[in-house]
Each structure stands twice: as C-alpha cells, then as structure tokens.
Amino acid sequence: MQWLISDAPVAYPQALAAMEARVAAIRSGDAGELVWLLEHPALYTAGTSANPADLLDPLRFPVFEARRGGQYTYHGPGQRVAYAMLDLTRRGRDVRRFVHGLEDWVIAALARFGVRGERRSGRVGVWVARPERPPGPGGAPAEDKIAAIGVRIRHWVSFHGVSINVDPDLSHYKGIVPCGIGDHGVTSLADLGVIASMADMDIALRAAFDETIGRG
C-alpha cells in the first residue's frame, strides 16, 4: 500500500491519465494499491449522471468529463482530494459496501477535528447538520455537504474517490448544482470554525483509513 502527496495543484487531465495507468498496473500485478492526496486548480467535473441543466455557469471554470459515477462537482484550492486506487477483490467485490467504506473513512477523519459527519439515505457523500439555521424546504433540518464521493470500478480496481472541503472558496460552488442536490448547501472545516491545514487533514485521513476501509 502506497501513499502519495502532491504539494502543487495537479491538472485534472494529468490526474486522470495517472489514475488510468495505475489502475492498469494494479490489475496486471505490476504495482500495488495507492491513495493519492492532492489539490486541483479550480474546475468543475461532470460524472456519468450529470444533468447539463445543473451547470449554471459553464464559463466560470474549466469543465471536465470525469468518467466516474455521480453528477457535477467542484474541485479547487483548499479542498483535499483523495484518489483511492484499491483492489476490491481483496474487499469482497461489493461496490455498495466499498462506497459506504469511503463514507466511513471521511466520517472518521472529520471526527478527529470534532466535526460530526453523517451519511444520508439516498445521497452519497458526507453531511453536517446545521441546527443554528432555519429548517429547509418542507421543514427538513438544515444541513450542508462537506465531502463528495465519486468512484469508478474497472476489473474490480477502484479509482477516483473522495473530496473534503478544508478551506476552499465556497462561492465557487455557485456555478453548479453540486451533485444535483439544490436543496442543501456546502460547508468546510473553516466554515464550521475549525482551523486545519492540509497536512492536518492528511494525518487524519491516514489514521482513519487504517481504522476503516484499509482493513479490507
């Protein structure tokens, strides 16, 4: 198992090419599993279920076809992206279980900062309740998304992964309907009053991985 941290922002096409190559190498037995921690320049990505109507400002940032599950999402400075290239044959070949494992991973990492992340039925990702705000449409409790999850599986090797908002510019989300969900907002550790660096998040992700999805 290898961990790689990129200090400089990585262009999205470069990241896609690198993941494709690593997945092929894992499948052939020429490389081991990899978790890659990085940031991207500001951009939008479209998953395989993206609705063109959810791209509200197509000229704001570059838009890339992500070739992963899900809809539109944002990546940019201040957001930790964790690409997980893992052999799911070792993890039971259960995609739903794997996605839940990714959610557990993020939730455990956030707990190290005193933030309670939660999953929601029918909505992939990790959410934070905002009881200080008025209820949303239909009286639903106010909550914001703090982490997005989008994966692709090829020959039972995973790629893409999770993105966690540490301290991005949240106004950048206004160019899309994030993940096709318009009734809720987005948040970050900084927005919640938590001061944390990318290095802090990386430490939390590494420890939480070993406790959750890394156990296989």
Side-chain angles (χ1 to χ4, degrees):
M1 179 76 198
Q2 180 185 0
W3 289 76
L4 175 65
I5 300 176
S6 293
D7 295 326
V10 179
Y12 198 73
Q14 177 186 343
L16 282 181
M19 283 192 287
E20 293 273 0
R22 185 66 176 227
V23 167
I26 293 171
R27 182 172 180 247
S28 68
D30 293 328
E33 295 180 315
L34 171 67
V35 176
W36 186 12
L37 305 177
L38 67 144
E39 292 174 88
H40 286 302
L43 56 91
Y44 297 131
T45 66
T48 54
S49 302
N51 179 352
D54 289 341
L55 182 58
L56 306 179
D57 189 352
L59 301 179
R60 186 165 190 174
F61 298 123
V63 182
F64 296 94
E65 297 292 330
R67 299 185 295 226
R68 52 148 176 83
Q71 303 185 52
Y72 282 104
T73 193
Y74 166 76
H75 294 309
Q79 181 191 78
R80 178 49 94 211
V81 175
Y83 287 138
M85 287 151 272
L86 305 175
D87 181 359
L88 297 195
T89 298
R90 296 177 48 197
R91 294 170 168 80
R93 292 194 174 191
D94 186 329
V95 176
R96 184 181 296 273
R97 178 186 170 195
F98 176 61
V99 172
H100 281 185
L102 292 174
E103 291 171 335
D104 288 340
W105 179 27
V106 173
I107 288 168
L110 292 173
R112 286 170 160 74
F113 301 98
V115 172
R116 181 174 179 176
E118 300 174 328
R119 62 166 52 95
R120 291 290 181 264
S121 177
R123 286 188 263 143
V124 176
V126 178
W127 300 79
V128 176
R130 306 302 297 268
E132 72 277 11
R133 293 209 311 260
E143 57 187 4
D144 292 334
K145 193 171 193 175
I146 193 168
I149 295 175
V151 298
R152 186 173 180 182
I153 311 296
R154 180 181 296 156
H155 303 295
W156 294 109
V157 179
S158 71
F159 54 125
H160 297 278
V162 308
S163 56
I164 305 172
N165 290 337
V166 178
D167 188 14
D169 184 339
L170 295 179
S171 72
H172 289 178
Y173 280 91
K174 293 181 180 178
I176 57 172
V177 178
C179 302
I181 300 171
D183 294 338
H184 302 284
V186 290
T187 190
S188 66
L189 290 182
D191 183 52
L192 296 170
V194 177
I195 304 303
S197 66
M198 282 295 169
D200 294 331
M201 176 55 71
D202 294 345
I203 292 169
L205 284 169
R206 182 70 178 266
F209 185 90
D210 291 339
E211 296 172 358
T212 55
I213 197 168
R215 293 179 298 195

